[in-house]
Amino acid sequence: MVLPTLPVTLTFLTLLALLSIAKAADNNSTTSGLILLNCGESTQDDDDGGRSWDGDTGSIFAPSMKGDAAIALGQPPSLTPRVPYTTARIFTSNYTYSFPVSPGRMFLRLYFLSTAYEYYAVSDAVFGVMARNLVLLNDFNALQTAQAITSAYLVREFSVNVSSGSLDLTFAPSAHQYGSYAFVNGIEIVPTPDVFATPDIRFVSGDNTSPFTFDADMSLQTMYRLNVGGPAISPKGDSGFYRSWANDAPYILGGFGLTFWKNDNLTISYTSRVPNYTAPVDVYGTARSMGPTAQINLNYNLTWILPVDAGFFYLLRFHFCEIKYPITKVNQRSFFIYINNQTAQEQMDVIFRSGGIGRPTYTEYVIMAIGSGQVDMWIALHPDLSSKPQYSDAILNGLEVFKLQNYGPSNLAGLNPPLPQKPDVNPNRLSSGERKTKGGIQATIGGTAGGFALLLIALFSMCVIYRRKKAAKSPGKTDYGHVKHPTKCIKSTCDLVRHFSFAKIQVATKDFDEALIIGRGGFGNVYIGDIDGGTKVAIKRCDQKSQQGFHEFQTEIEMLCNFRHRHLVSLIGYCEEKNEMILVYDYMAHGTLCEHLYNTRNPPLPWQQRLEICIGAARGLHYLHTGVEQGIIHRDVKTTNILLDDRLMAKVSDFGLSKASPDIGNTQMSTAVKGTFGYLDPEYFRQQRLTKKSDVYSFGVVLFETLCARPVINTELPYEQVSLRDWAVSCRKKGVLEEIVDPCVKEEITPECFRIFPEVAEKCVADRSIDRPSMGDVLWNLEVALQLQDSASYNTSCAEGASSLQISGVHSGKPSTNSTISVAAQEAIFSDIAHPEGR
Ligand SMILES: *[C@@H]1O[C@H](CO)[C@@H](O)[C@H](O)[C@H]1NC(C)=O
Ligand SMILES: *[C@@H]1O[C@H](CO)[C@@H](O)[C@H](O)[C@H]1NC(C)=O
Ligand SMILES: *[C@@H]1O[C@H](CO)[C@@H](O)[C@H](O)[C@H]1NC(C)=O
Ligand SMILES: *[C@@H]1O[C@H](CO)[C@@H](O)[C@H](O)[C@H]1NC(C)=O
Ligand SMILES: *[C@@H]1O[C@H](CO)[C@@H](O)[C@H](O)[C@H]1NC(C)=O
Ligand SMILES: *[C@@H]1O[C@H](CO)[C@@H](O)[C@H](O)[C@H]1NC(C)=O
Ligand SMILES: *[C@@H]1O[C@H](CO)[C@@H](O)[C@H](O)[C@H]1NC(C)=O
Ligand SMILES: *[C@@H]1O[C@H](CO)[C@@H](O)[C@H](O)[C@H]1NC(C)=O
């Protein structure tokens, strides 16, 4: 009886083996060594990037499975990634997956969605994960981690070198919490070549560096992978390995530098030393430099702050590539790299190292993070002038930070992140000065929808949390030191501002019809709408996912309630319902000043019209600075914030960043730098001290922009022309300013006017704030310029071609005296200065 069964058993076993080989063989992912396992799922499913994930039910990788397959409850909104997050495998006791792999290095990615799973409470998910005897996660508390980074999606990426034929992955519920369980939503394994053991790693200690030898067996955890100066890159956009690259802006501290793209005619040429899988073209093809102004660059460090786990060594890989003419030669740009305030590199010259423009290179450093719990890692760049390079600048294209395993016992696990005391969400369009909550990165590593979607979710949830907190605060109290009486205005005193229901807004905008969008920005969309049976209004719907959050919404309402003037945009009302933040303004038929200057189909504005618009805007700002007790600093003066109504009258808008000016006697306020690059006062930038003169500086840039009709920053131009302010000042110094004046108005400007106008502009953009005029002086001088223009305009016909646009100016009744200011005009100015209440 025994005899016949043996061959049967053998045949059956052989068959099984053959079957599983066949199964493995016709499975694309297994043949290439790539494994995508959707845990708790029985069928195959595609993720948002089109990659096919196999279920772990009955999988050869999950022998004698004893975990529960469970469906995630309370799935977040539809925008979030689905696969592999919809299901999880839950383990109430230890369980080991076993992946047959070829020996060598590979990325291991673990995907977790912190939520409740059927009968399993979200707070009980506390567990460890081991790869053989290497601890990857220890007492990992999914909920606490999710709360700390305000994202429920957690991805952990490791790089391990497997020497035997299988990677065994054990999930173990915590022994320290009763009733805890382990879970996992997805496991991804991507074989890689030997990407770490490069010969050139430096160990940073004090201000010295020494060679560091990378152990071939070493395991690492990816902490940060940043596409510096460029957008997030999803796994699909990576050059092999399905890595996610996040944008670096949330981590920047010391000013945000200048981001730019490669010249179109330039190709990135990889080399045998830097093969194409090192980083995708989109990483090397975008970069962040310090900025176009040497004087600013020499006064600050371009700094990123990255929270990491203390007690580990970190490998930092800096990716560089020069991608813009004219930097093609050695010693044009040379800089320091500081890590944790220590000099990791002097005289970093990318061209010298890479061999030319368009050729990528990278440098690597190892440093110890000292301290306990989570500590900040400081990465900073600063020009190194010791070799007298042509430009005082620095550049970075990409940055990766890996945690190195500790030995004895083998460990990569840090502590759970501390819960934030207060959500760090002061929203900030330029994200300088502030940064994300500690530990935020790991949500943006890997992930099927890429870091970007996850970042959106993170911002969304931060916004919601922030709003709840705000609502709980006692009214009238604010810890931001902005305008006084913050809530009073919304509640009662602001009679002129109406409260709209969401339903009414929906009717006015035909339920936010795309066709009615008249503007898009960092804050969300602006729609044109009808209220009260035909009154045209502009409706700004703040995008909750945007970085301009509730705080700026409230500032804007407060500002516009309390400050009304014919040269400030009028707020009609607002809607704050169902988490919506909506503002309703007077409709400005002619859009922004910027839209009439360049890159536009609008006919060019005649010079006199431009002067009148500048004067209107100056009046608006002068009123802000002087019209109330303390004065208000706008902080974001630019041509896109100067709106034009149906009669082309200028109105200053966008008070989201405005701040009350400090009390007399203490005329400066220290604050995180905000504003728009190209308009930013260098002194404010350097010293982080805000004065009304910062608005004057920005307004000076507006004046040059109006005169020259070009963007204030144009990275397409040669280096010395990138910044309009610098270029205009240098042209004026050389006496060739007329060469860069907008050709459409060049003929119209009278010589007298041309003597004054650029002089005012140049004084406004003086480096030191004490050398700049007050807004009142600026206004006065512009009035003079207009008089000098006006009187001459009678004798010329230059503006007639465009007279259809000359509907109406700020002032009526043209004075007849030439070159001296009329009494009427003087009165007009003085009345405005003396009675700045406006309407
Ligand atoms: C390989 O893909 C097939 C479908 O083509 C799937 O049924 C199978 O489970 C996969 N193999 C493994 C080992 O997961
Ligand atoms: C899987 O392999 C087949 C041929 O073996 C090929 O036609 C198909 O495109 C592959 N699928 C993927 C997703 O690579
Ligand atoms: C589960 O694994 C952990 C970590 O390896 C170990 O400490 C524990 O003893 C294991 N529990 C059981 C029941 O085997
Ligand atoms: C993996 O480690 C072995 C030594 O254990 C080494 O010989 C091999 O080169 C390593 N492979 C990679 C890709 O680092
Ligand atoms: C990288 O280069 C290899 C040839 O050296 C090529 O086969 C591969 O497609 C390239 N990968 C990418 C992402 O460009
Ligand atoms: C590429 O374009 C830049 C200007 O955009 C020019 O200076 C340079 O000579 C061009 N290079 C080549 C190789 O065409
Ligand atoms: C680096 O220096 C700054 C300012 O001096 C300090 O605030 C910061 O804590 C230092 N960072 C580290 C990691 O030592
Ligand atoms: C830049 O950072 C280095 C190292 O921390 C420091 O010595 C230097 O003073 C900093 N420079 C500026 C301008 O902040």
Side-chain angles (χ1 to χ4, degrees):
M1 293 299 275
V2 172
L3 275 175
T5 44
L6 188 59
V8 168
T9 315
L10 273 178
T11 321
F12 182 66
L13 283 177
T14 321
L15 206 82
L16 253 185
L18 280 175
L19 264 177
S20 61
I21 289 167
K23 200 177 165 191
D26 71 27
N27 182 309
N28 303 22
S29 60
T30 316
T31 49
S32 66
L34 177 76
I35 293 171
L36 292 169
L37 200 62
N38 190 357
C39 302
E41 184 58 75
S42 52
T43 56
Q44 218 174 20
D45 208 347
D46 288 355
D47 66 23
D48 299 339
R51 293 197 295 160
S52 176
W53 293 66
D54 294 322
D56 73 343
T57 308
S59 162
I60 53 161
F61 308 133
S64 49
M65 170 57 74
K66 54 181 180 173
D68 259 1
I71 295 170
L73 302 178
Q75 278 279 310
S78 56
L79 138 148
T80 60
R82 208 169 44 83
V83 176
Y85 293 109
T86 36
T87 57
R89 185 66 66 177
I90 310 268
F91 306 103
T92 50
S93 61
N94 291 4
Y95 178 75
T96 302
Y97 285 97
S98 183
F99 299 96
V101 291
S102 323
R105 197 160 271 287
M106 59 201 70
F107 279 125
L108 165 67
R109 297 191 184 104
L110 304 178
Y111 295 82
F112 306 100
L113 172 61
S114 173
T115 185
Y117 291 92
E118 295 178 14
Y119 309 110
Y120 299 94
V122 58
S123 54
D124 287 342
V126 184
F127 57 97
V129 181
M130 273 75 57
R132 289 270 165 89
N133 50 15
L134 169 69
V135 178
L136 301 177
L137 297 172
N138 183 30
D139 276 346
F140 173 66
N141 185 326
L143 178 63
Q144 189 175 333
T145 307
Q147 284 173 341
I149 66 169
T150 56
S151 167
Y153 296 86
L154 311 171
V155 183
R156 290 291 179 273
E157 182 186 279
F158 304 94
S159 172
V160 291
N161 179 356
V162 178
S163 48
S164 68
S166 86
L167 173 62
D168 296 337
L169 211 56
T170 302
F171 290 81
S174 169
H176 302 117
Q177 182 169 330
Y178 179 75
S180 64
Y181 65 90
F183 79 102
V184 61
N185 299 81
I187 302 172
E188 177 181 2
I189 296 172
V190 185
T192 66
D194 185 1
V195 286
F196 291 107
T198 50
D200 221 11
I201 308 176
R202 307 294 299 178
F203 179 67
V204 181
S205 151
D207 270 347
N208 300 312
T209 66
S210 50
F212 177 90
T213 315
F214 187 90
D215 181 349
D217 275 342
M218 185 115 64
S219 300
L220 310 87
Q221 181 185 349
T222 311
M223 303 300 284
Y224 297 93
R225 181 174 286 127
L226 305 176
N227 179 15
V228 175
I233 299 172
S234 71
K236 213 164 96 183
D238 188 34
S239 53
F241 314 154
Y242 307 102
R243 296 162 297 192
S244 292
W245 298 76
N247 175 251
D248 65 316
Y251 305 103
I252 290 194
L253 173 79
F256 27 80
L258 181 61
T259 63
F260 57 99
W261 296 70
K262 68 181 183 68
N263 278 100
D264 289 341
N265 61 5
L266 186 76
T267 40
I268 303 294
S269 2
Y270 291 94
T271 59
S272 56
R273 218 189 141 253
V274 186
N276 63 3
Y277 57 71
T278 311
V281 166
D282 287 346
V283 169
Y284 288 119
T286 58
R288 191 181 294 275
S289 65
M290 296 187 73
T293 314
Q295 206 199 354
I296 293 181
N297 297 352
L298 289 172
N299 277 296
Y300 87 106
N301 281 347
L302 183 55
T303 305
W304 293 261
I305 293 194
L306 308 172
V308 295
D309 298 318
F312 288 89
F313 287 96
Y314 288 86
L315 173 69
L316 292 88
R317 182 177 284 192
F318 292 73
H319 296 272
F320 299 103
C321 189
E322 287 291 359
I323 47 174
K324 265 193 90 68
Y325 299 92
I327 295 192
T328 55
K329 294 194 286 290
V330 169
N331 207 27
Q332 286 187 302
R333 165 146 61 193
S334 172
F335 54 93
F336 289 105
I337 302 174
Y338 299 115
I339 305 174
N340 279 351
N341 297 337
Q342 299 167 25
T343 309
Q345 181 85 49
E346 294 172 334
Q347 296 190 11
M348 177 63 204
D349 184 323
V350 176
I351 295 286
F352 177 76
R353 213 187 149 85
S354 69
I357 186 167
R359 293 167 67 92
T361 186
Y362 59 85
T363 60
E364 289 176 297
Y365 310 94
V366 166
I367 195 164
M368 174 83 182
I370 297 160
S372 62
Q374 270 195 336
V375 293
D376 286 339
M377 180 169 289
W378 286 53
I379 316 284
L381 305 181
H382 190 77
D384 181 350
L385 302 188
S386 56
S387 62
K388 300 200 168 51
Q390 188 175 354
Y391 302 108
S392 305
D393 202 355
I395 182 177
L396 186 60
N397 304 61
L399 177 63
E400 292 176 281
V401 179
F402 304 98
K403 176 165 53 170
L404 304 183
Q405 76 167 89
N406 282 338
Y407 289 95
S410 300
N411 181 38
L412 265 173
L415 301 175
N416 287 307
L419 285 175
Q421 296 303 304
K422 166 179 108 174
D424 185 7
V425 291
N426 201 350
N428 176 350
R429 263 166 287 179
L430 286 162
S431 50
S432 66
E434 281 131 325
R435 63 203 162 84
K436 273 179 69 183
T437 319
K438 289 188 173 194
I441 174 56
Q442 281 145 7
T444 63
I445 294 178
T448 43
F452 185 62
L454 297 182
L455 197 67
L456 286 185
I457 299 161
L459 287 168
F460 174 77
S461 31
M462 282 195 280
C463 210
V464 171
I465 290 170
Y466 183 69
R467 285 168 55 80
R468 289 208 194 104
K469 244 187 116 70
K470 191 91 187 174
K473 255 188 214 155
S474 61
K477 244 189 171 170
T478 169
D479 45 11
Y480 288 92
H482 286 219
V483 185
K484 288 190 176 162
H485 327 298
T487 47
K488 206 167 138 199
C489 147
I490 301 186
K491 294 282 179 309
S492 59
T493 61
C494 208
D495 304 333
L496 291 165
V497 171
R498 287 163 59 182
H499 181 266
F500 289 96
S501 69
F502 186 65
K504 184 144 188 179
I505 302 281
Q506 276 178 308
V507 171
T509 57
K510 304 199 175 122
D511 201 11
F512 304 102
D513 188 345
E514 293 265 321
L516 298 179
I517 293 179
I518 52 173
R520 293 175 203 267
F523 49 80
N525 292 334
V526 181
Y527 300 80
I528 180 169
D530 273 334
I531 55 162
D532 306 336
T535 308
K536 289 248 179 304
V537 290
I539 297 178
K540 176 158 134 184
R541 185 188 199 188
C542 302
D543 190 341
Q544 287 149 349
K545 297 188 290 288
S546 91
Q547 302 193 13
Q548 188 183 35
F550 181 71
H551 179 67
E552 287 181 25
F553 171 74
Q554 197 165 10
T555 307
E556 176 114 10
I557 296 177
E558 287 155 14
M559 292 294 308
L560 288 170
C561 285
N562 293 317
F563 308 100
R564 292 185 162 260
H565 186 271
R566 66 181 187 280
H567 291 294
L568 299 184
V569 78
S570 314
L571 183 69
I572 296 172
Y574 67 97
C575 163
E576 194 199 353
E577 208 176 285
K578 298 184 182 170
N579 282 346
E580 292 280 352
M581 298 180 280
I582 295 169
L583 296 164
V584 182
Y585 303 91
D586 266 350
Y587 174 62
M588 293 288 128
H590 280 105
T592 69
L593 170 58
C594 187
E595 286 161 34
H596 292 266
L597 293 177
Y598 46 86
N599 300 338
T600 177
R601 289 212 197 101
N602 290 323
L605 287 174
W607 176 244
Q608 181 161 335
Q609 195 80 57
R610 294 189 198 188
L611 261 179
E612 285 166 351
I613 289 167
C614 290
I615 289 171
R619 278 179 203 270
L621 289 172
H622 175 62
Y623 165 71
L624 276 183
H625 286 183
T626 58
V628 288
E629 203 182 325
Q630 282 193 323
I632 296 291
I633 303 169
H634 184 285
R635 289 224 281 175
D636 203 11
V637 176
K638 54 183 175 181
T639 50
T640 48
N641 281 342
I642 296 173
L643 303 184
L644 304 174
D645 72 1
D646 52 344
R647 299 183 314 142
L648 287 171
M649 174 136 111
K651 306 214 176 206
V652 177
S653 79
D654 203 347
F655 299 90
L657 295 180
S658 302
K659 280 207 179 208
S661 176
D663 295 310
I664 309 124
N666 167 23
T667 52
Q668 300 175 328
M669 59 204 300
S670 172
T671 166
V673 173
K674 293 188 184 188
T676 302
F677 204 78
Y679 294 95
L680 256 187
D681 169 9
E683 191 174 275
Y684 168 38
F685 200 81
R686 279 197 299 272
Q687 305 177 353
Q688 316 231 327
R689 282 182 193 281
L690 188 62
T691 68
K692 290 170 193 165
K693 294 291 182 71
S694 303
D695 282 351
V696 173
Y697 182 95
S698 307
F699 189 71
V701 179
V702 166
L703 294 180
F704 277 129
E705 197 179 348
T706 311
L707 182 68
C708 305
R710 57 150 274 192
V712 295
I713 292 287
N714 182 353
T715 55
E716 297 302 307
L717 293 172
Y719 204 79
E720 60 280 8
Q721 302 183 20
V722 167
S723 154
L724 169 62
R725 180 265 177 199
D726 293 0
W727 183 229
V729 167
S730 85
C731 287
R732 207 174 118 75
K733 211 167 264 156
K734 289 186 226 141
V736 294
L737 184 66
E738 37 319 338
E739 285 172 20
I740 64 164
V741 169
D742 182 4
C744 301
V745 294
K746 208 170 187 169
E747 303 297 307
E748 295 171 34
I749 309 176
T750 64
E752 295 81 10
C753 180
F754 195 67
R755 261 203 308 277
I756 292 196
F757 187 89
E759 191 188 334
V760 179
E762 189 177 352
K763 280 196 177 135
C764 289
V765 299
D767 274 316
R768 301 189 315 159
S769 58
I770 54 164
D771 297 334
R772 296 175 207 151
S774 70
M775 215 55 227
D777 290 339
V778 175
L779 177 58
W780 173 271
N781 280 293
L782 289 176
E783 288 281 5
V784 172
L786 179 66
Q787 302 310 314
L788 296 175
Q789 181 67 32
D790 252 2
S791 48
S793 293
Y794 284 116
N795 308 326
T796 67
S797 57
C798 59
E800 260 160 35
S803 61
S804 60
L805 263 169
Q806 251 172 319
I807 305 162
S808 151
V810 173
H811 69 166
S812 50
K814 297 189 176 183
S816 53
T817 48
N818 50 2
S819 79
T820 55
I821 308 161
S822 73
V823 175
Q826 288 189 29
E827 274 172 3
I829 301 165
F830 278 122
S831 75
D832 216 73
I833 292 170
H835 311 285
E837 299 78 24
R839 50 158 124 144

